[in-house]
Amino acid sequence: MAEIRSAYSSRLHFFGRTTPANLAAEFGSPLYVYNESLLRQRCRDIRALSGLPGFTPCYSTKANGNLHLLRIIREEGLQADAMSPGEVALLRAAGFSREEICYVCNNVAEEELAFAARNAGVVSVDSVSQIEAFGRVNPGGGLMVRLNPGIGAGHHQKVVTAGKNTKFGVVPEDFEAMAAALARHNLTLIGLNQHVGSLFLDPAPYLDALAWLLEAARPFLPLRILDFGGGFGIPYHKYDPEPRLDLAETGRRLDALLEPWIRETGFSGRLIIEPGRYVVAESAILLGRVQAVKNNGPVRYVGTDIGFNVLVRPAMYDSFHDVEIYPADASPRPPLAQTIVGNICETGDILAKDRLLPEIRTRDLLGLLDAGAYGYSMSSSYTQRFRPAEVLIQADGSPRLIRRREREEDLLGMFPA
Ligand code: LLP
């Protein structure tokens, strides 16, 4: 097969000993394709962020909950953050122990708080009323409380999770009420956590928030855990140069803030971070098939089988994913402005708008890069289309099915007779 825009995946040997065409023929389309070596590398990068005693990266399961990927992440020595009973079930099935799971939830039922206390090493709640709820079902227990540092960061307003305009965390004005609620239920505050938002490439806001938490924590010491949250970004532009987050520099600055504070306070607990995207995003390419091409006025629409039920990030956040083209034939492909869309009955079903790319034709395969985080995990069965399959390109270069495509029985099996 001719290659017209696949230099990035070729350089990484992303598809190992197979090809997009073979994968689509064997496993169907659309198809999430993961690369094991890349996933392992990202786990190692994040573990190397800090060498401080107690430093504990907890992979944020919401980014991708595939059981087989979780097993790899655990083998690489990461612990995990969960936010629902389903995520806990997957983590336990992947081999994570109760102690290796921290449960960071918001606005959940008392039953769920009781479940979390039984099934996770530590539970974080994020309001005074949830402290009360936790206390009612776990009187005398220990918990972590999420604070709102007033500093947010993220790639889109919808994923900034701290500051005034968000639902998250306990704000300093409520610290007294928090202490009273803890005392009322005889609860022990064992940790404080925060998460300022998702996707930073400049670490300054993350580190500012971290410094804020260190100061905010002083009156609550001794604590067993400080958890600074996730948000470590990846560059989504792979064909135009976009600098990576400098993890080495971020780690040096993180240590420089923590070391004097640890010396001063004698803190000897765990220092948690909760990376999701950084660990899994770059390990996947989403393959889809071009089904139709047309012009509407000046716009050339490339119609694929990747609707927003399969990858919602572009429709939801206007997110950019770079596109590769694996052509069905060797005909010349002059560059054209093209808008790539899915097969859902909504105008917002756009994957990539007005991109200058080699001419895409019917039957070509496309690859949406960096689809490993919040790709499958946010997919849906809207319009009753089946969720796609997932395949892992193993370290030896061979493909292995790690989740089958949904099928009619899955759909019909939900309904009682
Ligand atoms: N910890 C907490 C408490 C979180 O809420 C999140 C993400 C993370 C950790 C992991 O953040 P990460 O390292 O992946 O940035 N769906 C959006 C991202 C939403 C993130 C929600 N919380 C997207 O597709 O960009």
Side-chain angles (χ1 to χ4, degrees):
M1 184 166 65
E3 300 208 345
I4 52 173
R5 188 174 153 101
S6 53
Y8 171 77
S9 61
S10 299
R11 194 171 65 246
L12 294 175
H13 303 294
F14 191 96
F15 296 107
R17 292 197 259 121
T18 183
T19 62
N22 286 341
L23 287 165
E26 186 174 352
F27 301 102
S29 168
L31 184 69
Y32 277 95
V33 185
Y34 298 85
N35 181 291
E36 177 176 351
S37 308
L38 274 173
L39 176 61
R40 290 190 186 274
Q41 188 53 51
R42 290 296 170 255
C43 292
R44 291 169 196 176
D45 294 349
I46 213 78
R47 279 194 67 190
L49 184 72
S50 173
L52 289 175
F55 174 67
T56 314
C58 288
Y59 166 67
S60 196
T61 313
K62 57 184 80 60
N64 190 315
N66 183 293
L67 181 63
H68 294 277
L69 302 182
L70 293 176
R71 286 194 178 129
I72 293 173
I73 291 167
R74 181 170 175 277
E75 275 171 23
E76 290 297 330
L78 272 65
Q79 299 191 15
D81 130 46
M83 67 163 302
S84 70
E87 288 187 354
V88 169
L90 284 164
L91 288 167
R92 296 307 302 269
F96 288 86
S97 70
R98 174 181 180 273
E99 280 63 40
E100 288 169 335
I101 300 173
C102 84
Y103 200 85
V104 181
C105 55
N106 67 90
N107 308 329
V108 303
E110 287 180 9
E111 295 72 32
E112 185 171 326
L113 291 170
F115 167 89
R118 284 196 308 276
N119 290 282
V122 61
V123 181
S124 152
V125 301
D126 94 328
S127 62
V128 174
S129 88
Q130 290 267 277
I131 295 174
E132 301 274 6
F134 187 91
R136 283 194 291 274
V137 287
N138 304 290
L143 82 174
M144 184 152 85
V145 174
R146 177 168 176 172
L147 301 186
N148 183 332
I151 304 165
H155 68 83
H156 189 284
Q157 204 47 47
K158 288 181 186 168
V159 299
V160 172
T161 45
K164 285 256 176 298
N165 299 319
T166 76
K167 65 172 177 171
F168 296 102
V170 174
V171 291
E173 297 86 295
D174 285 340
F175 283 2
E176 255 177 54
M178 166 173 109
L182 291 168
R184 212 165 15 254
H185 297 280
N186 195 23
L187 296 169
T188 307
L189 183 69
I190 61 174
L192 291 172
N193 66 302
Q194 66 186 18
H195 171 73
V196 294
S198 195
L199 204 168
F200 61 81
L201 290 171
D202 168 5
Y206 188 83
L207 295 169
D208 289 349
L210 182 147
W212 180 89
L213 190 64
L214 295 182
E215 286 315 306
R218 283 178 192 273
F220 301 105
L221 294 173
L223 293 169
R224 300 213 308 262
I225 302 172
L226 282 182
D227 174 348
F228 308 109
F232 301 82
I234 61 119
Y236 279 93
H237 289 259
K238 295 300 203 269
Y239 278 85
D240 311 315
E242 185 186 13
R244 292 192 74 81
L245 167 65
D246 187 342
L247 269 192
E249 172 65 12
T250 306
R252 276 192 290 276
R253 287 165 65 181
L254 183 123
D255 286 359
L257 288 168
L258 286 168
E259 269 161 353
W261 185 86
I262 289 170
R263 264 200 308 278
E264 203 187 313
T265 59
F267 179 85
S268 61
R270 289 201 296 160
L271 300 162
I272 292 181
I273 60 165
E274 297 171 357
R277 185 189 317 272
Y278 193 88
V279 175
V280 284
E282 292 173 294
S283 72
I285 295 180
L286 170 58
L287 289 184
R289 175 90 62 191
V290 180
Q291 315 284 15
V293 174
K294 73 164 124 178
N295 274 72
N296 185 355
V299 182
R300 177 180 166 85
Y301 285 103
V302 174
T304 72
D305 55 7
I306 309 179
F308 71 63
N309 55 317
V310 177
L311 179 70
V312 77
R313 301 191 69 254
M316 192 151 175
Y317 316 112
D318 287 325
S319 297
F320 181 97
H321 285 263
D322 236 325
V323 176
E324 290 200 337
I325 306 165
Y326 317 111
D329 58 59
S331 57
R333 308 297 188 98
L336 287 174
Q338 295 164 91
T339 289
I340 303 169
V341 296
N343 53 1
I344 295 292
C345 51
E346 296 201 26
T347 307
D349 186 25
I350 296 175
L351 279 170
K353 202 165 184 171
D354 202 20
R355 299 274 182 91
L356 187 64
L357 292 168
E359 182 182 344
I360 301 170
R361 299 224 173 119
T362 307
R363 293 187 13 261
D364 288 348
L365 286 169
L366 300 184
L368 271 283
L369 304 185
D370 304 318
Y374 308 107
Y376 192 99
S377 72
M378 293 179 81
S379 67
S380 74
S381 53
Y382 182 39
T383 70
Q384 312 305 337
R385 286 195 180 280
F386 302 133
R387 262 178 270 240
E390 299 183 291
V391 164
L392 181 69
I393 306 297
Q394 302 176 103
D396 68 2
S398 64
R400 172 178 163 219
L401 185 68
I402 56 169
R403 170 149 30 194
R404 68 160 171 80
R405 192 173 299 281
E406 276 179 354
R407 48 188 184 226
E408 203 173 293
E409 302 92 273
D410 300 317
L411 173 62
L412 295 176
M414 305 286 289
F415 302 99

